Amino acid sequence: MPQVKIIAKNFMDMVASLPAIKLDILYHNQFICEAILRSMPPLAKKYVLQMLYIDVPMTFKSLQEWVLADGSSKHQVAIDRLIQLRVLEVIDRKKETTYKLKPTFQTNLRKHLIYGGILSREPMPSNVVARLPTLEELDAYAHEQWECFLLQLISSGQAERSSSFSSSMMRIFQRGLLRQRDKEAPRLTESGFQFLLMDTNAQLWYIIREYISNSEEQGVDQADLIAFLLELSFHTTGEAYNLNTLADDQEAMIKDLADLGLVKLQQGRRERWFIPTKLATNLSVSLTDSSSRKQGFVVVETNFRMYAYSSSKLHCEILRLFSRVEYQLPNLIVGAITKESLYNAFENGITAEQIRLWETDLNRVEMTPAHFYDEFSSRDIFESASDFARVHGGLLWEDAKKMQMAVKAEIHMLMREHLRGNK
């Protein structure tokens, strides 16, 4: 059974992985050009701004003149990132290689910086909309909506429970997270149970990534969807925006995003509007931050009596997957792990190893093959190696003070070649 794997990327990394044709289309949008600029490493950002009004190709030697003697490794990391994003075009000639900014990106970023970006919609005036929720109420709404979404996943096999979620959202559930045999109710898969153990932002990133990947089945182009999501991140949290300003495809997307708690939908006497939450306005930054994870405590006695200190209905339903929940107090769930509850878990595709994973989940211990690096000969080489590992998605841990780091085993050979080139 394939496992749900969350690639620790931000939105910009997914943009960079798009086919070249789709990525070229995105650069016709000024807001995406700004979002790409924000995402770049500092040196890459500096190169783009310095080349923004240079219309002729620059030689490799000319670019190197911008770099200090001890900054060659950071220079290469910046160039690699710009090429990966197709912001920088490489022109190979017989005599020497030259570089220039992609004309579409260059033109639209110029316009954005000179004239300022103008969203295709403005916030609605306060005299038109009803009372808008406060930022605290929006945060609570987003959290509650996400818990409802996960509860639907857990309770999908209960026929008496109707779903208020769109068919496109439910199809994402059924791709690896749920399974259904002939004449049987849908059941959680091993991957689905693993998904429930992830922190909220990792779960959200998985859903958004799958939603984008499967968008073309709904007749929506991936580039158009990403463009809309990135443009949405430039809206103001808590402001109301008229739904009538959206195209039909965009309105369908907004309704799907409301299922996830990224926006809140409201309706007045005549107008309808959507209100972005922090989840939407932070999309272009990252969805991998786990700072929103809520901690709890679980005690399992030697007689398999279980006490879970949590007020979350979602936590209670997760526990019910492999234990017998006896009662729930305002901040305490009491139950027991029994032979019958374990048999029920096994029938639902949950393995004993995953139950053990749940038990240790609050410790957040994860085994990842890695290589440890220390004894760097200089601060510059250490920072260069750190940037290189980060750009390639392989940096697991670093201590800048002691100049030590751990990187994923899969990029070890690349790191070796990089360090050899800096000797």
Side-chain angles (χ1 to χ4, degrees), residues 1-255:
M1 175 68 66
Q3 296 295 306
V4 176
K5 294 182 180 179
I6 301 300
I7 302 173
K9 291 181 176 182
N10 59 30
F11 214 138
M12 294 305 112
D13 291 318
M14 185 170 190
V15 170
S17 68
L18 286 174
I21 295 177
K22 294 185 181 296
L23 190 54
D24 293 344
I25 294 173
L26 288 179
Y27 290 150
H28 285 86
N29 186 304
Q30 295 181 24
F31 288 97
I32 291 181
C33 294
E34 182 185 348
I36 293 290
L37 181 67
R38 290 179 179 181
S39 77
M40 294 175 184
L43 192 56
K45 193 180 302 182
K46 177 180 173 63
Y47 287 169
V48 169
L49 294 177
Q50 287 186 206
M51 298 175 68
L52 194 58
Y53 287 91
I54 299 176
D55 295 321
V56 296
M58 295 189 62
T59 64
F60 179 75
K61 184 178 180 181
S62 298
L63 282 178
Q64 283 189 316
E65 291 176 356
W66 292 350
V67 185
L68 298 175
D70 59 350
S72 59
S73 56
K74 288 187 176 181
H75 165 77
Q76 191 57 50
V77 169
I79 294 296
D80 289 345
R81 183 60 166 169
L82 292 174
I83 294 173
Q84 181 189 28
L85 287 166
R86 291 181 59 80
V87 168
L88 197 64
E89 293 183 339
V90 183
I91 305 172
D92 290 321
R93 293 178 177 172
K94 293 182 178 179
K95 292 184 178 180
E96 61 181 336
T97 300
T98 59
Y99 301 88
K100 63 175 295 187
L101 289 182
K102 185 170 190 61
T104 307
F105 179 89
Q106 185 179 31
T107 301
N108 284 302
L109 186 58
R110 280 181 186 176
K111 291 179 180 178
H112 188 75
L113 295 179
I114 294 174
Y115 304 108
I118 300 177
L119 287 169
S120 55
R121 64 197 64 86
E122 293 293 329
M124 298 176 68
S126 58
N127 63 335
V128 175
V129 299
R131 175 191 173 274
L132 297 179
T134 64
L135 295 181
E136 291 75 16
E137 289 171 338
L138 267 185
D139 288 342
Y141 159 80
H143 175 72
E144 179 183 358
Q145 196 69 9
W146 184 249
E147 283 216 344
C148 287
F149 190 58
L150 296 182
L151 283 169
Q152 182 63 43
L153 172 62
I154 295 173
S155 307
S156 58
Q158 299 179 11
E160 68 274 9
R161 182 159 183 157
S162 61
S163 171
S164 61
F165 297 105
S166 67
S167 58
S168 54
M169 284 290 104
M170 295 311 299
R171 271 193 290 270
I172 292 177
F173 275 164
Q174 293 167 357
R175 290 179 181 271
L177 302 182
L178 293 174
R179 73 170 186 272
Q180 184 174 13
R181 296 174 181 172
D182 294 339
K183 298 180 180 180
E184 286 187 3
R187 289 190 176 187
L188 206 63
T189 64
E190 295 177 27
S191 297
F193 186 72
Q194 181 184 344
F195 173 82
L196 290 174
L197 301 183
M198 296 172 179
D199 62 70
T200 301
N201 283 332
Q203 291 171 333
L204 180 58
W205 175 235
Y206 170 81
I207 293 295
I208 289 292
R209 189 159 55 88
E210 289 298 302
Y211 184 68
I212 293 172
S213 299
N214 299 313
S215 61
E216 293 188 348
E217 294 182 6
Q218 314 302 318
V220 179
D221 186 81
Q222 284 190 4
D224 292 341
L225 176 54
I226 290 176
F228 178 68
L229 289 171
L230 286 177
E231 186 176 315
L232 186 63
S233 72
F234 284 91
H235 289 57
T236 303
T237 303
E239 293 284 356
Y241 296 88
N242 199 321
L243 279 171
N244 292 333
T245 62
L246 302 177
D248 291 342
D249 288 344
Q250 292 174 336
E251 187 171 346
M253 294 177 206
I254 280 290
K255 291 177 180 177

Side-chain angles (χ1 to χ4, degrees), residues 372-386:
F372 178 74
Y373 293 84
D374 65 351
E375 298 183 1
F376 290 90
S377 58
S378 70
R379 171 69 57 180
D380 181 65
I381 292 179
F382 167 76
E383 292 179 353
S384 166
S386 175

Side-chain angles (χ1 to χ4, degrees), residues 364-372 393-396 406-410:
R364 306 305 295 159
V365 175
E366 181 181 354
M367 300 295 291
T368 302
H371 288 266
F372 178 74
L395 183 64
L396 295 172
V407 304
K408 293 179 181 178
E410 61 199 56

